[in-house]
Amino acid sequence: MDTKKDCHGINNSENQGYTLSQPIQWLMAGVAGLEWAHAWISIPFCCLYLTALSGNTLILFVVFIEPSLHKPMYYFLSMLSTTDFGLCISTMVTVLRIFWLNAQEISFNACLSQMFFIHLFTAMESSVLLAMAFDRFVAISNPLRYATILTHARIAQIGMAVVSRGTLILSPLVLLLKRLSFCRRLRLRHSYCFHPDVMKLSCSDTKINSVFGLTAIIAIARVDSILILLSYILIIRSVLSIASSEGSKKAFSTCISHVTAVAMFYIPLISLSFVYRFGKHVPPYVLTLFANIYLLIPPVMNPIMYSVKTKQIQKALIKILCPKDPHVQQLLLP
């Protein structure tokens, strides 16, 4: 009886999981070597997801309902919470399905959709952090014109630009993947779909995909990080030009939360790149856990950090959560 062979010359009748066409199912990775502990591992992940979802929902609710927070800085914070919420939802379903049900299968189109939204919300977060850096620069260097520069219409335009930029840059990544043929074992290295991971399973020529993926990274993360750094160089110069030390301290204190948010976004991203490049002898389960956690760090920490560092957010939270307790209300009075 004749048997067909895939593009590597492997007998398809003896090797299920190899195909020349778009695959029906992918297999995502759990924590290799710790499958027996998936139920226990899911507990801290559930806590992190609940913290991220509840924290960002609370930030959005507080900014929406409290009139004193209807200012450019807090509109940008709302954008940041929205991207964090979306990033959290994008990975939560597949990660918890694997830990709870050991359900590792995902369809090809669902995988590409998840991959698109993970990269889209990551790109949007980078863009929002850049917009927040611009907001702090205008507030410190030109406070008298702050309200006229960052009007409601201009903030809405920035928000549309953030979404449009990410969509236009990342949509071709999905379209370019759909043209590929896959003829290797369709097992991903993560608990979610990630562009380099999906691309490596193809037996087609992926040079265009690699070039476009690198271009997307440069156009988003590299450009944004350079512009954020430039913004803070200009901010520091403006702060140093303020005559009083008290004024300088107060001006720069408004940037602490944003600097921390930038660090929590870029440091895990850079760390993961180094781990994959140089951590060849690291156990596989360490890489898997780190890859899952790094996408959770900003969504979990941003609302906590802004709630702790921003006095106006604290006052709004107290006003909403404890409206009838005068003793608690007075804790936050100047």
Side-chain angles (χ1 to χ4, degrees):
M1 182 175 66
D2 292 333
T3 58
K4 295 181 180 180
K5 294 185 178 181
D6 65 14
C7 57
H8 290 289
I10 298 176
N11 192 318
N12 279 332
S13 65
E14 297 176 357
N15 292 273
Q16 297 179 1
Y18 287 81
T19 179
L20 280 169
S21 60
Q22 292 181 355
I24 298 174
Q25 298 285 338
W26 298 81
L27 289 177
M28 294 178 294
V31 183
L34 295 178
E35 290 83 0
W36 59 272
H38 274 181
W40 294 105
I41 295 173
S42 71
I43 295 174
F45 273 92
C46 284
C47 293
L48 290 173
Y49 279 118
L50 287 174
T51 302
L53 294 176
S54 58
N56 286 292
T57 301
L58 188 59
I59 291 290
L60 288 170
F61 178 72
V62 166
V63 173
F64 176 77
I65 203 171
E66 179 55 44
S68 64
L69 299 181
H70 293 175
K71 298 176 182 178
M73 176 182 175
Y74 303 107
Y75 289 141
F76 288 124
L77 177 58
S78 297
M79 294 182 194
L80 186 66
S81 291
T82 302
T83 59
D84 282 338
F85 191 93
L87 187 59
C88 198
I89 291 292
S90 298
T91 61
M92 181 179 69
V93 175
T94 54
V95 170
L96 294 185
R97 278 179 70 241
I98 291 173
F99 288 153
W100 286 346
L101 306 173
N102 197 32
Q104 299 180 345
E105 300 84 6
I106 186 171
S107 69
F108 180 70
N109 288 328
C111 182
L112 293 187
S113 297
Q114 184 190 44
M115 182 201 76
F116 171 75
F117 283 110
I118 289 173
H119 289 292
L120 175 63
F121 285 118
T122 303
M124 286 173 59
E125 179 137 357
S126 178
S127 300
V128 172
L129 290 172
L130 174 58
M132 295 175 81
F134 174 69
D135 167 75
R136 291 298 84 206
F137 168 69
V138 174
I140 292 173
S141 65
N142 205 340
L144 297 179
R145 295 187 59 204
Y146 178 68
T148 58
I149 293 174
L150 288 172
T151 61
H152 287 79
R154 191 153 292 157
I155 293 170
Q157 291 171 357
I158 292 173
M160 290 297 296
V162 166
V163 177
S164 301
R165 179 198 187 203
T167 303
L168 290 174
I169 292 176
L170 295 171
S171 293
L173 288 180
V174 176
L175 298 176
L176 288 172
L177 282 175
K178 288 183 74 70
R179 72 181 181 85
L180 299 179
S181 296
F182 296 88
C183 51
R184 300 180 184 180
R185 293 196 181 277
L186 305 176
R187 180 175 290 276
L188 303 169
R189 294 190 301 170
H190 300 85
S191 302
Y192 49 83
C193 294
F194 200 56
H195 179 258
D197 202 8
V198 174
M199 185 178 62
K200 287 180 180 178
L201 296 178
S202 173
C203 58
S204 303
D205 185 1
T206 59
K207 288 181 180 178
I208 296 177
N209 300 71
S210 298
V211 170
F212 202 92
L214 180 61
T215 302
I217 292 174
I218 293 173
I220 297 173
R222 298 287 173 83
V223 171
D224 289 354
S225 60
I226 291 172
L227 291 177
I228 289 171
L229 179 61
L230 178 61
S231 296
Y232 270 95
I233 291 174
L234 297 175
I235 287 172
I236 291 172
R237 191 176 72 173
S238 298
V239 169
L240 293 177
S241 66
I242 298 175
S244 75
S245 59
E246 186 65 27
S248 300
K249 183 179 178 181
K250 184 178 179 180
F252 196 71
S253 66
T254 63
C255 301
I256 293 176
S257 298
H258 178 254
V259 171
T260 308
V262 171
M264 287 189 298
F265 178 77
Y266 284 105
I267 290 176
L269 185 64
I270 296 170
S271 300
L272 185 64
S273 300
F274 273 98
V275 168
Y276 272 106
R277 184 175 295 272
F278 302 110
K280 296 181 180 179
H281 303 294
V282 176
Y285 64 85
V286 174
L287 296 177
T288 304
L289 289 173
F290 194 87
N292 285 332
I293 291 173
Y294 110 92
L295 287 177
L296 271 173
I297 292 175
V300 170
M301 295 304 299
N302 282 339
I304 295 174
M305 179 264 303
Y306 271 97
S307 298
V308 170
K309 294 290 186 180
T310 309
K311 201 74 170 177
Q312 291 83 350
I313 295 288
Q314 290 180 9
K315 289 182 178 181
L317 286 171
I318 293 298
K319 183 178 178 180
I320 292 170
L321 298 177
C322 306
K324 297 182 180 180
D325 192 336
H327 299 291
V328 177
Q329 296 276 352
Q330 289 197 6
L331 291 177
L332 294 177
L333 292 177

